[in-house]
Amino acid sequence: MQYPKLIAHTGCEGTSYNSLESCEAGVKAGAPILEVDVRVTKDNVAVLQHVDEPSVSQLNYEQLLETGQKPETLNRVLTQFSQLPVAFNLDLKTEEAGLAAIADVTATSTWSQVWFTGATGLIANSGYSRHVMWNLPKELSELDEVSYRQQAAELCQLAAEAKFGGVNLQYECCRPYLVQQAHLHGLQVWIYTLPYDQNLFFKYMDMGVDAVTVYEVKKFAALRAVMPEDGGA
């Protein structure tokens, strides 16, 4: 078994969401991938923000600051971590945010460190599809095994044809057959957001998932010391 990479969910280790502090805490705790949420202002500044309050797309960045909000910019965060051995999961909250994110990733020369999840439609058609970790539907968790296998095979085929880097799905939706199909097509499998549970973690590790999004990075990182005897490094 391969120990999956840990993705530090924004706000990990009790820090503020979508902040430099959160990213720094994720790195310090041992996560090789950091997740942040991305939206775009009216003047095309990519900012780290989950909810659209106030309406980010209707305000210029300076106007956004005047509301009392002080969202971190994607450019600053990528610049801060551009020389470190860490990657980013940019969770795009709108399709338009993808274009602003592309501009910042290009400007900071961090393409080797970036993956996109969320609203990835524009990214998929921009020539950067291999950086997409395609979000699969939550309804997968409700399917019987026969229907699940049919859907999983079709989705993995579509992801491969689109030349995506992999798939991203809720952990409840992930079953062994999907992981097998994804890997047959050369796709990574990421799952989110796993609560801290040692047995649950080893269950998905046994399936062969490639990365797991978590809040409690330190606790999950410590599980390396108690891996099953047949586990691999």
Side-chain angles (χ1 to χ4, degrees):
M1 288 182 289
Q2 180 74 25
Y3 187 87
K5 293 180 180 179
L6 298 178
I7 303 173
H9 194 292
T10 186
C12 69
E13 303 300 318
T15 58
S16 299
Y17 279 64
N18 292 308
S19 63
L20 273 175
E21 178 192 19
S22 173
C23 294
E24 290 167 350
V27 171
K28 185 177 180 180
I33 305 174
L34 311 173
E35 184 232 9
V36 295
D37 301 313
V38 183
R39 290 186 179 275
V40 63
T41 64
K42 187 177 180 180
D43 53 345
N44 296 315
V45 177
V47 295
L48 307 192
Q49 190 160 320
H50 181 77
V51 296
D52 196 22
E53 296 177 4
S55 183
V56 175
S57 64
Q58 301 303 310
L59 299 173
N60 289 335
Y61 182 67
E62 291 302 322
Q63 293 174 320
L64 187 59
L65 294 179
E66 290 172 2
T67 69
Q69 302 286 325
K70 296 182 179 180
E72 189 61 76
T73 65
L74 178 61
N75 187 285
R76 183 181 177 211
V77 169
L78 292 178
T79 299
Q80 186 85 2
F81 292 88
S82 62
Q83 302 303 313
L84 298 178
V86 65
F88 279 89
N89 167 11
L90 304 184
D91 186 356
L92 304 174
K93 295 305 175 184
T94 66
E95 295 288 353
E96 294 73 19
L99 296 180
I102 286 175
D104 281 343
V105 175
T106 300
T108 56
S109 301
T110 51
W111 277 109
S112 64
Q113 295 172 258
V114 165
W115 300 95
F116 298 98
T117 58
T120 54
L122 291 178
I123 297 287
N125 295 309
S126 67
Y128 298 104
S129 60
R130 67 186 182 87
H131 292 272
V132 169
M133 297 298 296
W134 190 33
N135 279 52
L136 299 188
K138 299 175 182 178
E139 291 75 17
L140 280 172
S141 64
E142 303 170 4
L143 299 179
D144 61 73
E145 188 63 20
V146 173
S147 299
Y148 182 92
R149 286 178 174 240
Q150 179 180 355
Q151 189 80 339
E154 291 175 358
L155 290 169
C156 289
Q157 179 66 37
L158 288 172
E161 291 174 355
K163 301 187 186 311
F164 293 152
V167 295
N168 183 47
L169 66 161
Q170 284 188 333
Y171 74 90
E172 299 97 331
C173 299
C174 188
R175 302 180 194 173
Y177 184 78
L178 185 144
V179 178
Q180 294 167 9
Q181 286 296 303
H183 288 171
L184 281 174
H185 287 287
L187 302 166
Q188 295 184 63
V189 178
W190 289 8
I191 60 172
Y192 66 93
T193 300
L194 200 67
Y196 182 72
D197 182 301
Q198 179 173 312
N199 292 330
L200 194 60
F201 178 76
F202 288 139
K203 169 187 171 181
Y204 288 104
M205 185 176 75
D206 189 48
M207 284 188 203
V209 300
D210 300 282
V212 180
T213 298
V214 301
Y215 280 103
E216 299 172 277
V217 181
K218 289 181 182 177
K219 288 184 178 181
F220 280 94
L223 291 180
R224 280 184 178 274
V226 291
M227 284 177 64
E229 291 184 2
D230 59 343

